[in-house]
Amino acid sequence: MKLLRYLANLGYGSRREVLAMFADGRVTDVDGELLYGDDVRAHHTVRLDGAPLDPAPGVFLMMNKPVGVTCSAKDQGKLVYTLLPPRFKLRSPIVSTVGRLDRDSSGLLLLTDDGTLLHKIISPKSKLPKVYRVTLARDLRGDEGEVFSSGRLMLDSEETPLLPAEFERLGDREARVTLHEGRYHQVRRMFAAVDNHVVTLHRERIGGLALNGLPEGEWRLLDDNDRQQLFG
């Protein structure tokens, strides 16, 4: 792909804006030689203002999403894109969230511009386990594990029962739940079905990937080893 289109797709600006970058001599190779919009070069050999380009297409990353941040590119308020380089929202294709964590939930969030990978992760066929830690408004009543693992729990407005989910009691008002599907607000609705209310909800793990100390509000790129770990 010609560099003019390539840099525009990476979110550096409109084609007119990127063309001006070439005209101003801001785009070079690693040796400082000027490059032009019609040139075709490997991603890692291109520099803009002397700095390497943003990650190449096929970017895959994890974020520790804080409470109060929305998984959207268009909603009002603070969005996940405010925690990423501004150009990530302007890329074509855009770096999208893999599924969602609602505004009041925190924890592990995956993002990618690879549509094939995104659909592989969220596909019901993958059944990737997703692990959540919750705190509750009322004491656990004692039968949550049996109800959640039964494969018979029906949520309001749903036509099929939930897949069995694992439940671990961590305290009178604290638990860990592992899901193998991803329905709308599922954990919150599951506890509502057993007469409780989720106060805090934090996703700890997806498949074999965990936050592993990633600070809240921070993100890191994932590599091929991480992909293998995700599906391992």
Side-chain angles (χ1 to χ4, degrees):
M1 184 184 298
K2 294 180 180 180
L3 284 177
L4 175 60
R5 180 182 175 191
Y6 189 72
L7 267 62
N9 285 354
L10 286 179
Y12 283 96
S14 66
R15 293 200 181 193
R16 177 176 295 181
E17 291 168 334
V18 172
L19 187 61
M21 295 177 186
F22 285 102
D24 291 340
R26 297 172 59 190
V27 186
T28 66
D29 66 11
V30 291
D31 297 318
E33 181 180 346
L34 290 180
L35 296 176
Y36 300 92
D38 287 340
D39 289 336
V40 177
R41 293 288 190 276
H43 180 97
H44 70 279
T45 67
V46 181
R47 298 292 182 267
L48 178 61
D49 296 331
L53 298 180
D54 289 343
V59 66
F60 184 36
L61 63 92
M62 71 158 58
M63 174 188 291
N64 186 351
K65 188 190 91 67
V67 170
V69 176
T70 303
C71 296
S72 171
K74 298 180 180 179
D75 288 351
Q76 299 298 315
K78 190 171 184 179
L79 309 179
V80 292
Y81 294 98
T82 63
L83 304 175
L84 295 168
R87 287 186 295 271
F88 278 32
K89 186 181 177 183
L90 304 175
R91 290 168 67 119
S92 178
I94 190 172
V95 178
S96 301
T97 61
V98 181
R100 295 170 68 100
L101 279 174
D102 66 58
R103 182 181 179 85
D104 297 323
S105 300
S106 63
L108 176 56
L109 180 68
L110 300 177
L111 299 97
T112 186
D113 63 359
D114 183 336
T116 299
L117 175 62
L118 186 153
H119 290 294
K120 181 178 180 182
I121 295 171
I122 66 175
S123 170
K125 294 180 180 179
S126 72
K127 296 184 180 178
L128 280 178
K130 294 176 281 289
V131 182
Y132 300 85
R133 188 170 184 138
V134 302
T135 58
L136 301 158
R138 291 179 285 279
D139 288 354
L140 293 163
R141 66 189 195 185
D143 65 343
E144 290 85 359
E146 178 181 352
V147 173
F148 293 171
S149 65
S150 68
R152 299 188 299 271
L153 179 60
M154 293 284 293
L155 300 178
D156 287 344
S157 76
E158 298 279 354
E159 297 181 353
T160 57
L162 298 179
L163 294 177
E166 287 94 59
F167 173 87
E168 179 185 359
R169 180 189 176 102
L170 301 175
D172 289 343
R173 298 189 178 188
E174 190 172 8
R176 180 176 288 115
V177 178
T178 301
L179 306 182
H180 299 276
E181 57 186 331
R183 305 197 196 185
Y184 179 72
H185 287 176
Q186 183 172 340
V187 175
R188 297 181 186 277
R189 294 165 69 202
M190 287 169 67
F191 279 101
V194 291
D195 303 317
N196 215 324
H197 174 74
V198 172
V199 177
T200 67
L201 177 64
H202 179 79
R203 184 156 62 196
E204 298 181 323
R205 179 180 295 271
I206 300 175
L209 282 181
L211 289 168
N212 290 331
L214 183 67
E216 185 177 271
E218 297 295 320
W219 62 276
R220 74 172 180 89
L221 291 173
L222 301 176
D223 56 23
D224 288 341
N225 289 333
D226 293 310
R227 294 191 189 209
Q228 292 177 8
Q229 188 174 350
L230 172 65
F231 294 104

